[in-house]
Amino acid sequence: MAGNPISRTLLKGGLLLTHGEDNHVHPVVSDLLIEDSIITQISPQIELNSTEPTTRTIDCTGKIISPGFISTHHHLYQTQFKGKHANHTLLKYFPGGHYASSLFTLSDLFWGELGGALEALDAGTTTVVDHSNVNHTPDYPRTAIQALLTSGLRTVYCYTFPRRVSSWAPFAAADDMSSPWVLDTFASLAESAPFDGRVHLGFGTDNVFLPAEVMKPMFARIRAAPARLITLHGAAGPAHSMGPGKPAPSIAQMLELHGLLGPDILVSHANYPRAEGAVPGMEADAKLFGRPHEVAPKISSTPNTELQMGWPPVALMPEYRAVSSLGVDCHSWGSGYMPLQMNLLLQHARNERAVGLAREDKWSRNVGYDVEDVFNLGTIDGARAIGLEGEVGQIKVGLKADLVVFDTDTPTMLAAAVEDPVAAVVLHSSPRDISFVIADGVVRKEGGKLVDVEVAPAVGSGEAESVVAAGTKLSWGDIGREILRSRESLKKKLEGIDMVAAEDAVMAQIHMNKVALID
């Protein structure tokens, strides 16, 4: 079955994690009615007229129903690289993971993208900002979008300038910002977006250290397309400094310098925020992100990768909390489960607070941050960060039916779900506790297993150019076999490449501070 064809679905008797006007979570036992893709009724007892259209009823008695999780920074295509980066820093990841995307064929991209999207849905994530790095020809973004449409995931697909490796020995790579087809293809795709109402189009770029005469017309064209949002990596720290005590200007500061900072800007990571003076006369990051929400840029913190890279996440810092959200970043580094990101951020922030107090020979009876803080970052605040607060992020009549149904009688959830359902989700749950996932009103996971998918028609090109013919039914087993075949092919292409030499070349290319490197 390729998704649920029934136009109405009634969830009976579940514990809904709703948000009030105060943005606090208010658990309530209630029925919930979905018509097509919309939540149309929430009531203690919904009775349907037997003469009305066929309705599927799902008994949710004793279960927790959460808003679908929102990952605001994710590289979905990287499925074939899972397990490679367990002990990698950013430097080691660059040649063996990030730049290895230059080796992807259309087939590699389709299966990697589809696998990443389905992993997200399996784990209850129903909306993803997909920062894509695999746009070698016009057919690559079309293939990625086709995979996303096939999966059923709600996405902001962020198209990027092609990032190509022209030589592995010696290593040389560059972004293609001059070929006319690049922005022409983006503009053409934007005319048809959102695809199927679910796949929006955004833009991803890290090319901000360019002259104003290059940046301004480029951003003007991207925004005119239009792009729903523009996302950029904001890596920082000693590796990206210009010397001791000389931090490089931040992404936000550079955009502000060119008059390009705005509410459609989403900065991933934003670690090691800059003070005034990194750019002469420029405001500190705290002031730039501290503007009123309707004009402020936004932040996506990705705790799993950031902590591994030595980048303290900023999402719970008071100066950045109002504009922050959470993302997975690379599911090739670790779990794509959003409650794990919540958990990591929460305990990191609690520890940082306690360590800071200890430095002053103080301590506290309180932890400082509670589970609701991080639950909201992965739901309602994620929607606000990407401009979809009127569609998703909470359980509310009139919004899209993006929902996660948790069993509460499993060994991990038992007792915790009764004591505190939000804590149960954030601190105790795992993907195996999720019995149903509904995205855009369609059941995508049922009985703890992903539902089969049907390949969507190709976007902006003929079906002959599709990796898999439209209409083909695929089970997870089918998809998994193709992902493993693709992994073997990519592994062979990478054999024999001197990764240490490539790392040295990357350091020079992106101006990392080699003087401060200790090993």
Side-chain angles (χ1 to χ4, degrees):
M1 154 178 182
N4 181 7
I6 297 174
S7 62
R8 299 199 313 174
T9 303
L10 177 62
L11 307 184
K12 293 286 292 181
L15 181 67
L16 308 182
L17 301 184
T18 65
H19 285 86
E21 295 300 320
D22 54 5
N23 289 337
H24 288 302
V25 179
H26 297 277
V28 57
V29 176
S30 192
D31 294 352
L32 182 150
L33 181 64
I34 302 164
E35 296 186 79
D36 295 320
S37 64
I38 303 296
I39 299 170
T40 58
Q41 190 175 349
I42 297 173
S43 176
Q45 189 70 33
I46 297 176
E47 299 293 342
L48 298 176
N49 189 324
S50 60
T51 63
E52 294 178 1
T54 302
T55 301
R56 180 180 182 184
T57 300
I58 300 174
D59 184 5
C60 294
T61 304
K63 300 180 187 293
I64 294 171
I65 303 177
S66 167
F69 304 126
I70 298 172
S71 172
T72 56
H73 180 62
H74 206 137
H75 300 290
L76 288 172
Y77 72 90
Q78 293 184 344
T79 307
Q80 292 91 324
F81 293 154
K82 289 179 65 176
K84 281 190 62 175
H85 308 303
N87 301 306
H88 282 182
T89 58
L90 177 67
L91 176 59
K92 290 183 176 293
Y93 158 76
F94 258 122
H98 177 76
Y99 283 114
S101 66
S102 67
L103 301 173
F104 272 50
T105 64
L106 287 173
S107 179
D108 295 325
L109 175 58
F110 180 84
W111 297 115
E113 189 83 9
L114 181 56
L118 290 177
E119 180 181 346
L121 283 165
D122 181 64
T125 298
T126 53
T127 300
V128 166
V129 175
D130 179 29
H131 191 144
S132 176
N133 299 111
V134 195
N135 287 340
H136 307 324
T137 73
D139 279 334
Y140 277 77
R142 293 167 183 154
T143 296
I145 292 169
Q146 184 185 23
L148 294 171
L149 290 169
T150 299
S151 73
L153 184 67
R154 190 180 308 282
T155 327
V156 181
Y157 173 77
C158 290
Y159 183 105
T160 60
F161 291 109
R163 182 162 289 179
R164 297 192 180 95
V165 175
S166 56
S167 170
W168 285 95
F171 181 85
D175 287 1
D176 182 356
M177 299 179 63
S178 60
S179 294
W181 72 263
V182 177
L183 288 180
D184 288 348
T185 299
F186 176 71
S188 176
L189 289 169
E191 289 178 0
S192 302
F195 301 97
D196 200 26
R198 285 187 295 102
V199 180
H200 302 267
L201 202 65
F203 204 96
T205 181
D206 297 321
N207 305 93
V208 297
F209 295 92
L210 296 170
E213 57 266 27
V214 175
M215 292 284 294
K216 288 184 176 181
M218 179 180 78
F219 268 62
R221 187 167 182 196
I222 291 168
R223 282 172 163 149
R228 172 164 283 277
L229 58 83
I230 302 172
T231 191
L232 312 95
H233 289 98
H240 303 274
S241 70
M242 297 182 291
K246 297 180 180 179
S250 71
I251 295 294
Q253 288 175 327
M254 288 302 300
L255 291 175
E256 178 70 0
L257 183 67
H258 295 310
L260 298 172
L261 198 62
D264 60 346
I265 297 295
L266 175 66
V267 179
S268 303
H269 314 310
N271 315 93
Y272 295 101
R274 312 310 193 277
E276 292 180 271
V279 176
M282 183 57 60
E283 290 183 314
D285 277 353
K287 290 186 177 179
L288 297 177
F289 286 105
R291 293 170 175 175
H293 193 276
E294 61 272 14
V295 296
K298 310 303 188 293
I299 291 172
S300 177
S301 284
T302 62
N304 186 65
T305 55
E306 289 174 25
L307 292 173
Q308 184 169 327
M309 294 183 200
W311 299 345
V314 305
L316 286 178
M317 292 181 182
E319 310 95 306
Y320 306 103
R321 174 63 185 84
V323 294
S324 288
S325 59
L326 287 179
V328 167
D329 198 358
C330 306
H331 60 294
S332 55
W333 287 58
S335 171
Y337 190 46
M338 282 293 290
L340 175 63
Q341 306 296 334
M342 300 174 191
N343 193 330
L344 287 168
L345 175 66
L346 179 66
Q347 306 302 21
H348 167 75
R350 287 171 169 177
N351 182 67
E352 287 287 286
R353 177 176 181 270
V355 169
L357 289 173
R359 290 194 187 103
E360 301 174 13
D361 203 26
K362 297 177 181 178
W363 63 289
S364 173
R365 71 170 66 238
N366 300 310
V367 292
Y369 305 95
D370 64 37
V371 293
E372 184 182 89
D373 289 328
V374 290
F375 180 79
N376 283 351
L377 284 169
T379 53
I380 191 169
D381 294 325
R384 289 173 178 154
I386 61 176
L388 290 178
E389 63 269 36
E391 291 189 35
V392 297
Q394 57 181 313
I395 300 174
K396 184 178 180 180
V397 170
L399 269 62
K400 293 289 187 179
D402 288 5
L403 304 165
V404 188
V405 181
F406 287 89
D407 289 334
T408 60
D409 57 357
T410 63
T412 49
M413 295 288 276
L414 190 69
V418 179
E419 180 69 28
D420 184 337
V422 177
V425 170
V426 172
L427 298 177
H428 296 275
S429 73
S430 73
R432 77 166 184 170
D433 301 311
I434 297 174
S435 54
F436 284 86
V437 175
I438 298 172
D440 208 43
V442 178
V443 174
R444 294 294 177 179
K445 182 177 183 179
E446 179 175 352
K449 294 184 178 181
L450 285 167
V451 172
D452 293 353
V453 298
E454 181 177 301
V455 177
V459 172
S461 59
E463 187 179 308
E465 296 175 327
S466 300
V467 171
V468 184
T472 303
K473 304 277 196 307
L474 296 170
S475 68
W476 173 250
D478 299 327
I479 296 162
R481 283 188 290 273
E482 295 297 335
I483 290 169
L484 291 177
R485 288 192 189 103
S486 172
R487 175 191 172 275
E488 282 299 314
S489 174
L490 290 165
K491 185 177 179 181
K492 288 178 181 177
K493 291 178 183 179
L494 288 165
E495 287 176 358
I497 294 175
D498 186 340
M499 288 298 175
V500 175
E503 291 165 16
D504 289 340
V506 166
M507 273 192 281
Q509 180 172 314
I510 64 174
H511 308 291
M512 297 180 83
N513 183 2
K514 194 170 184 178
V515 175
L517 184 66
I518 64 167
D519 55 17

Short mmCIF file of all heavy atoms in Angstrom, two decimals, residues 7 39 48 67 165 208 223-224 229 239 290 308 317-318 351 362 393 434 440 463 465 468 470 482 490 496:
data_model
loop_
_atom_site.label_atom_id
_atom_site.label_comp_id
_atom_site.label_asym_id
_atom_site.label_seq_id
_atom_site.Cartn_x
_atom_site.Cartn_y
_atom_site.Cartn_z
N SER A 7 -9.78 9.50 2.53
CA SER A 7 -9.75 10.97 2.63
C SER A 7 -9.96 11.45 4.06
O SER A 7 -9.66 12.61 4.36
CB SER A 7 -10.82 11.58 1.73
OG SER A 7 -12.11 11.16 2.14
N ILE A 39 -6.20 18.92 9.74
CA ILE A 39 -6.90 18.63 11.00
C ILE A 39 -8.16 19.51 11.03
O ILE A 39 -8.07 20.74 11.01
CB ILE A 39 -6.01 18.96 12.22
CG1 ILE A 39 -4.73 18.10 12.20
CG2 ILE A 39 -6.79 18.75 13.52
CD1 ILE A 39 -3.70 18.52 13.24
N LEU A 48 -19.32 10.45 13.87
CA LEU A 48 -19.45 10.71 12.45
C LEU A 48 -20.73 10.10 11.90
O LEU A 48 -21.14 9.01 12.31
CB LEU A 48 -18.24 10.15 11.70
CG LEU A 48 -16.89 10.76 12.09
CD1 LEU A 48 -15.76 10.06 11.36
CD2 LEU A 48 -16.87 12.25 11.79
N PRO A 67 2.96 16.52 17.68
CA PRO A 67 3.19 17.11 16.36
C PRO A 67 4.38 16.43 15.69
O PRO A 67 5.31 15.98 16.36
CB PRO A 67 3.52 18.58 16.67
CG PRO A 67 3.06 18.81 18.07
CD PRO A 67 3.14 17.50 18.77
N VAL A 165 34.52 18.52 -7.42
CA VAL A 165 35.94 18.23 -7.26
C VAL A 165 36.52 18.03 -8.66
O VAL A 165 36.15 17.09 -9.36
CB VAL A 165 36.16 16.98 -6.40
CG1 VAL A 165 37.65 16.61 -6.34
CG2 VAL A 165 35.62 17.19 -4.99
N VAL A 208 29.54 33.76 1.08
CA VAL A 208 29.19 35.09 1.58
C VAL A 208 30.40 36.01 1.70
O VAL A 208 30.24 37.20 1.95
CB VAL A 208 28.47 35.01 2.95
CG1 VAL A 208 27.17 34.25 2.82
CG2 VAL A 208 29.37 34.37 3.99
N ARG A 223 15.99 35.51 -4.29
CA ARG A 223 14.77 35.92 -3.59
C ARG A 223 13.62 36.16 -4.55
O ARG A 223 12.46 35.90 -4.23
CB ARG A 223 15.05 37.17 -2.76
CG ARG A 223 15.78 36.85 -1.45
CD ARG A 223 16.24 38.06 -0.71
NE ARG A 223 16.57 37.72 0.69
CZ ARG A 223 17.49 38.34 1.41
NH1 ARG A 223 18.19 39.35 0.88
NH2 ARG A 223 17.71 37.97 2.65
N ALA A 224 13.93 36.62 -5.75
CA ALA A 224 12.87 36.91 -6.73
C ALA A 224 12.26 35.64 -7.31
O ALA A 224 11.16 35.68 -7.86
CB ALA A 224 13.44 37.77 -7.86
N LEU A 229 13.27 30.14 1.72
CA LEU A 229 14.28 30.60 2.66
C LEU A 229 15.66 30.41 2.04
O LEU A 229 15.81 29.70 1.04
CB LEU A 229 14.17 29.89 4.01
CG LEU A 229 14.29 28.36 4.09
CD1 LEU A 229 15.75 27.91 4.11
CD2 LEU A 229 13.60 27.85 5.34
N ALA A 239 39.37 26.86 14.54
CA ALA A 239 39.76 26.40 13.20
C ALA A 239 39.43 27.42 12.13
O ALA A 239 40.02 27.40 11.04
CB ALA A 239 39.05 25.08 12.88
N GLY A 290 18.90 39.15 17.68
CA GLY A 290 17.96 39.60 18.70
C GLY A 290 16.94 40.61 18.21
O GLY A 290 16.19 41.17 19.01
N GLN A 308 30.22 16.81 18.46
CA GLN A 308 31.34 16.01 17.96
C GLN A 308 32.43 16.91 17.36
O GLN A 308 33.61 16.60 17.45
CB GLN A 308 30.86 15.00 16.92
CG GLN A 308 31.96 14.07 16.42
CD GLN A 308 31.43 12.91 15.60
OE1 GLN A 308 30.33 12.42 15.85
NE2 GLN A 308 32.19 12.46 14.62
N MET A 317 20.77 29.29 24.50
CA MET A 317 21.33 30.51 25.06
C MET A 317 20.26 31.60 25.02
O MET A 317 19.57 31.76 24.01
CB MET A 317 22.55 30.94 24.27
CG MET A 317 23.74 30.01 24.40
SD MET A 317 25.17 30.65 23.45
CE MET A 317 26.35 29.33 23.73
N PRO A 318 20.10 32.38 26.08
CA PRO A 318 19.00 33.37 26.13
C PRO A 318 18.99 34.32 24.95
O PRO A 318 17.91 34.71 24.47
CB PRO A 318 19.29 34.12 27.44
CG PRO A 318 20.05 33.15 28.28
CD PRO A 318 20.88 32.34 27.33
N ASN A 351 24.53 20.97 31.69
CA ASN A 351 25.90 20.80 32.17
C ASN A 351 26.69 22.10 32.09
O ASN A 351 27.44 22.45 33.01
CB ASN A 351 26.61 19.72 31.36
CG ASN A 351 28.02 19.46 31.83
OD1 ASN A 351 28.24 18.97 32.93
ND2 ASN A 351 28.99 19.82 31.01
N LYS A 362 29.51 28.04 43.02
CA LYS A 362 28.08 28.07 43.30
C LYS A 362 27.43 26.82 42.73
O LYS A 362 28.02 26.10 41.92
CB LYS A 362 27.44 29.31 42.68
CG LYS A 362 27.93 30.63 43.24
CD LYS A 362 27.29 31.79 42.51
CE LYS A 362 27.80 33.12 43.05
NZ LYS A 362 27.21 34.28 42.31
N GLY A 393 3.80 22.17 12.90
CA GLY A 393 4.51 22.48 14.13
C GLY A 393 3.71 22.32 15.39
O GLY A 393 4.26 22.28 16.49
N ILE A 434 7.33 4.37 18.06
CA ILE A 434 6.41 5.07 17.17
C ILE A 434 5.61 4.05 16.37
O ILE A 434 6.16 3.30 15.57
CB ILE A 434 7.18 6.01 16.22
CG1 ILE A 434 7.91 7.09 17.03
CG2 ILE A 434 6.23 6.63 15.21
CD1 ILE A 434 8.81 7.97 16.19
N ASP A 440 1.07 15.02 6.08
CA ASP A 440 0.14 15.60 5.11
C ASP A 440 -1.15 14.78 5.02
O ASP A 440 -1.74 14.65 3.95
CB ASP A 440 0.80 15.72 3.75
CG ASP A 440 0.22 16.86 2.92
OD1 ASP A 440 0.01 17.95 3.48
OD2 ASP A 440 -0.01 16.66 1.71
N GLU A 463 9.78 11.11 -18.10
CA GLU A 463 9.93 9.92 -17.26
C GLU A 463 11.14 9.10 -17.65
O GLU A 463 11.74 8.41 -16.82
CB GLU A 463 8.66 9.07 -17.36
CG GLU A 463 8.66 7.89 -16.39
CD GLU A 463 7.39 7.07 -16.49
OE1 GLU A 463 6.29 7.66 -16.41
OE2 GLU A 463 7.51 5.84 -16.65
N GLU A 465 14.02 10.00 -18.04
CA GLU A 465 15.19 10.46 -17.31
C GLU A 465 15.15 10.06 -15.84
O GLU A 465 16.06 10.36 -15.09
CB GLU A 465 15.33 11.97 -17.45
CG GLU A 465 15.57 12.41 -18.90
CD GLU A 465 15.58 13.92 -19.03
OE1 GLU A 465 14.85 14.60 -18.28
OE2 GLU A 465 16.33 14.42 -19.88
N VAL A 468 14.05 5.54 -11.55
CA VAL A 468 13.05 4.48 -11.44
C VAL A 468 11.76 5.00 -12.06
O VAL A 468 11.39 6.16 -11.87
CB VAL A 468 12.80 4.09 -9.96
CG1 VAL A 468 11.82 2.93 -9.87
CG2 VAL A 468 14.11 3.74 -9.26
N ALA A 470 8.11 6.13 -12.87
CA ALA A 470 7.00 6.59 -12.06
C ALA A 470 5.95 5.50 -11.94
O ALA A 470 5.68 4.76 -12.89
CB ALA A 470 6.38 7.84 -12.69
N GLU A 482 19.06 -1.29 -2.81
CA GLU A 482 19.66 -0.34 -3.75
C GLU A 482 20.65 0.59 -3.04
O GLU A 482 21.68 0.96 -3.61
CB GLU A 482 18.56 0.48 -4.44
CG GLU A 482 17.65 -0.33 -5.34
CD GLU A 482 18.40 -0.96 -6.52
OE1 GLU A 482 19.46 -0.44 -6.92
OE2 GLU A 482 17.91 -1.98 -7.04
N LEU A 490 30.18 3.61 -4.49
CA LEU A 490 30.85 4.82 -4.04
C LEU A 490 32.14 4.50 -3.28
O LEU A 490 33.15 5.19 -3.42
CB LEU A 490 29.91 5.64 -3.15
CG LEU A 490 28.74 6.30 -3.88
CD1 LEU A 490 27.68 6.76 -2.90
CD2 LEU A 490 29.22 7.49 -4.72
N GLY A 496 41.87 4.42 -2.70
CA GLY A 496 43.13 4.92 -3.22
C GLY A 496 43.32 6.41 -3.12
O GLY A 496 44.41 6.93 -3.41
#
